[in-house]
Structures are given as C-alpha cells and as structure tokens.
Amino acid sequence: MSDPNGLHLDDLSLDELLRRRSVKWTHYPPDVIPAWVAEMDFPSAEPIRRAVSAAVERSDLGYPPFIEDSAFGEVVSGWADRTYGWQVDPESVTVLPDVVRGLQVAIQVLTEPGDGVVIQPPVYPPFFGVVKETGRTLVENPLVFRDGRFEVDFAGLDATLSRAKALILCNPHNPTGRAFSREELQAIAGLAARHDAFIIADEVHSALTMPGVPHTVFSTLGDEVAARTITVTAGSKAWNFGGLKCGYAVGGSQELAAKLRSLGHLMLGGASILGLTATEAAYTEGGPWIDEVVAYLDGNRRLLGNLLGKHLPEIVYAMPEATYLGWLDCRLLNLQPDPFTFFLDKAKVAFSAGPNFGSQGEGFVRFNFGTSRAIVTQIVERMAAAVDRART
Ligand SMILES: Cc1ncc(COP(=O)(O)O)c(C=O)c1O
C-alpha cells in the first residue's frame, strides 16, 4: 500500500531495517525479528523528514530556544484543540526530554515521599520504576479481563485510592491496547474526586486510536477534573521519533502549570532542538501520515487476529482499540521456560516479555505489529512452526 506522501508501508525490507541503529534493530542478532520496543518500522512522515533535514542542512543543531521564544506552546495548543477539543494555554506547556521524565516530575509536583501512587498493571514497565525511584509507595490496582477485554477494577480503584495520593492513568493503555471510554474515565474521575487524589494522565498513544475509536483527553472532563490532572504526552510515539527526545506536560490548572514550571531546568531537562522541530512538523503537517498509518495498523491488528486464529488458536488475543501492540496470552500453550524465551530461542522472534509489565504478565508476550503485513505474517509463521516443533 502506498499513499500520496509516497509511503510504502508494505515494502519494508528486513535487510534495510537491520541497517537502522535504534535499539530495536541492534539489540538482537540479525536472524531474530525484533517485535519488542515500541517503535514502528515505517518510513517517517515526509514533513518531519523535511523539517529535520532542513535543520541539519543549516547546521541548526544548537541548544533549543526558550519555550517562550518558540512557537511550541502555540503549536501544541492548536493541535490539542483541533484534535480533541482540548483547550491548552500555550504557557501551561512544560517541555521535557520525554514522557517518562514527565511522569517523574508530575509525581514530584503532586505527591510527597512515601505517598501512595496507584498504577494499573499490566502496564508500561517504567511506571513501576518511576514510583519507586521517586521514593513513593507503589500501589497496584490490576486491570481485570472481563468479557474479552481489559477493564478497570473500580472497586479496587476505590480501595487503593483511599491509601494513595495519585493515580498514573495510562490511556490508551500499553500493553492491553484499551482506549478507555468517556464513561470509564468519568468513573475514574469520580473516584479521584472522592479521595481527593491527583491524576497523572499518560496519553502518549492518543493519536494511535483505531478508526472510529475516540480518544478522550482526561483533562477535558471538566474544570474540576483538570485541576487535579497533569497530562504527560508527546508527538514522538505516534509519529515515531522517540530518539529525538521531546515530550511535554500540561498542568490542568494555572496552579499545577506554575508548579511544573517552578521545577527548573535541572529537573525538567528540556527537549532537543530536533525533537521540537519534529513535534511541530507532526502537529501541523503530520495529519495525512498518521491517518494512513492508523488505517494500516487497523489492518494489521485484524491480520494478527486472523493469523493467530488460524495457526495458534490457543493464544488469547483481545484486539487492541489503540496502539500497535498486541498483548498475547500464551498460557494455554504452556511454553517452557516462558513464552518470551521460547519464542526468542525457538522462533527467533524477540517480543517484550510479559512479566516486565507486572506479575499479571506471566505467560504473556507483547507483540509490536507496527511493521509490514509481510513481517507480521512471517513472525506468526515462525511462532507456529516453533510451537509445532516443540509438540512433536
Ligand atoms: C505509556 C507510555 N508512556 C511513555 C512511553 C515512553 O515515552 P518516552 O520515550 O517519551 O519516555 C511509552 C513508550 O512506549 C509508553 O508506552
């Protein structure tokens, strides 16, 4: 498939991908197909390539401008309004090297050492580390698998928030691919209000909701909700430039925005000049690319379901509503010593190991299908052949 931007999403070559220097393509030997770290294999959006190349051409690789001297806040604000009806005061945007730094500074702004911070595993592994490393108390409220999808355990959330100061909400959710509905988010907001808890909303996958699946920005649920929310996000996940380092946090009230800004450069770190450039290009001219990529990923998530149904029906796969990540429950296959090691050793495919996302991930792997249909197919064929060999 190709699009007017000249994207050739179907034409990826493993030989060419192996020339990339990113961790995804350098960590494992070349006979292993990497389907782990959350970056996609597609060619970058043309407006991003153009803007970054132009910066390189004019040797514009110095320190990034002060945020108030750049268009960044205005660009974020315009994109948030056009895309989600989210009103962002450009001055409330705090620039960061990445989203994980945003989680860290939000925890520091909203809570004190020792305070409880709730996370809902299985979840993006740094959620565990960032709570522990900031000296807060990790409180787990695992998602529950009900009627074929992962859901928030609201009774559990009520109980855990009673001994916590904040919740780190991952929406859309990595690794389950849930895009929580407005009603679910309202219920979360209601419990946060009841317990006077803050919400740290990691919405970095927001632009990767599948066609027809809305993304609700948590802060848009009302002024009272916004006043207890810090949103942390970036253009880098959806537009695939994680290596350029640029994320940002938005305080949902003047007070929270001011607290974030007051942290100073040593804590906040700032972005790279190329990261700012790429984010601005993504948010102003990256619409056609993301539309094309999301449409393609929609096909991939269905293809993955069909292939697993045909070759490995024991694997339980709840098709994601967002992201390019499949959360595969391999427990019925009883793979030894565990599914990650089995598929790496026997199928030469590197997934993300389920237990990295919490103890709920035992027996699971996370499949990154942000690649061509041919490569997705090859991965499942390798998995199926390895399982067949192990049976005979
Ligand atoms: C939920 C979530 N938050 C944060 C990140 C990392 O973002 P960054 O590289 O900007 O820290 C990821 C990466 O996959 C993610 O899935």
Side-chain angles (χ1 to χ4, degrees):
M1 186 197 284
S2 64
D3 82 339
N5 294 328
L7 271 186
H8 298 287
L9 303 177
D10 262 341
D11 290 349
L12 304 178
S13 134
L14 280 173
D15 286 343
E16 272 178 35
L17 289 167
L18 277 162
R19 302 212 319 257
R20 288 190 180 176
R21 296 185 61 202
S22 70
V23 66
K24 179 175 182 184
W25 290 96
T26 49
H27 187 60
Y28 290 102
D31 60 338
V32 170
I33 304 181
W36 60 297
V37 66
E39 66 184 43
M40 297 184 278
D41 296 340
F42 306 128
S44 306
E46 192 277 332
I48 295 178
R49 272 184 283 157
R50 188 167 15 97
V52 170
S53 303
V56 173
E57 280 303 312
R58 58 175 189 268
S59 302
D60 198 357
L61 302 175
Y63 294 108
F66 294 128
I67 189 67
E68 59 274 23
D69 298 335
S70 86
F72 190 77
E74 297 285 349
V75 168
V76 167
S77 174
W79 173 79
D81 186 18
R82 283 192 307 279
T83 317
Y84 304 117
W86 178 27
Q87 306 303 316
V88 173
D89 174 359
E91 290 186 7
S92 72
V93 177
T94 297
V95 178
L96 301 159
D98 52 40
V99 171
V100 172
R101 178 74 67 98
L103 300 174
Q104 179 202 324
V105 298
I107 289 173
Q108 267 151 342
V109 158
L110 299 174
T111 68
E112 299 294 329
D115 282 345
V117 177
V118 180
I119 64 169
Q120 306 198 90
V123 77
Y124 180 57
F127 279 28
F128 296 84
V130 78
V131 174
K132 290 184 196 153
E133 284 166 31
T134 50
R136 275 56 173 174
T137 306
L138 189 67
V139 183
E140 296 192 32
N141 180 48
L143 296 180
V144 286
F145 193 65
R146 200 178 281 141
D147 299 331
R149 70 173 197 174
F150 285 89
E151 293 183 352
V152 173
D153 175 354
F154 286 105
L157 189 59
D158 197 8
T160 47
L161 280 180
S162 72
R163 52 196 167 88
K165 197 72 184 293
L167 162 71
I168 309 182
L169 173 69
C170 189
N171 183 42
H173 188 267
N174 170 8
T176 67
R178 276 303 315 285
F180 296 115
S181 68
R182 190 175 188 83
E183 292 68 33
E184 290 173 292
L185 297 174
Q186 273 164 337
I188 293 170
L191 291 174
R194 176 189 297 180
H195 296 288
D196 197 20
F198 291 106
I199 303 289
I200 300 165
D202 178 337
E203 303 191 10
V204 73
H205 292 272
S206 66
L208 291 165
T209 53
M210 292 297 112
V213 179
H215 172 74
T216 303
V217 172
F218 195 76
S219 244
T220 62
L221 292 177
D223 290 346
E224 197 272 338
V225 178
R228 59 175 74 254
T229 303
I230 290 179
T231 309
V232 288
T233 190
S236 57
K237 184 59 58 189
W239 279 272
N240 215 34
F241 54 88
L244 292 184
K245 291 305 213 189
C246 181
Y248 58 95
V250 179
S253 65
Q254 299 275 358
E255 192 191 340
L256 291 183
K259 278 189 177 170
L260 280 169
R261 268 198 307 274
S262 73
L263 290 175
H265 190 71
L266 197 62
M267 283 282 286
L268 296 172
S272 82
I273 193 164
L274 292 182
L276 291 169
T277 301
T279 307
E280 289 175 10
Y283 281 180
T284 51
E285 299 179 79
W289 185 91
I290 197 70
D291 289 349
E292 178 81 13
V293 165
V294 165
Y296 192 81
L297 293 173
D298 182 24
N300 282 13
R301 69 177 175 148
R302 294 172 199 283
L303 172 70
L304 179 57
N306 293 339
L307 290 170
L308 291 172
K310 183 166 158 206
H311 297 293
L312 291 161
E314 299 88 346
I315 291 183
V316 181
Y317 162 69
M319 205 167 59
E321 298 163 303
T323 78
Y324 44 84
L325 308 167
W327 183 234
L328 308 190
D329 179 352
C330 307
R331 286 176 294 182
L332 289 176
L333 286 171
N334 193 26
L335 302 172
Q336 298 304 322
D338 60 79
F340 166 78
T341 311
F342 175 87
F343 288 126
L344 182 60
D345 290 350
K346 304 287 193 282
K348 300 289 177 203
V349 175
F351 294 120
S352 298
N356 293 347
F357 298 79
S359 58
Q360 302 76 12
E362 297 283 346
F364 287 71
V365 291
R366 191 189 70 175
F367 187 134
N368 173 349
F369 59 78
T371 189
S372 70
R373 304 226 166 102
I375 294 176
V376 170
T377 305
Q378 207 178 331
I379 291 172
V380 179
E381 285 171 356
R382 284 190 182 196
M383 293 166 74
V387 169
D388 277 350
R389 282 194 301 274
R391 277 185 180 136
T392 51

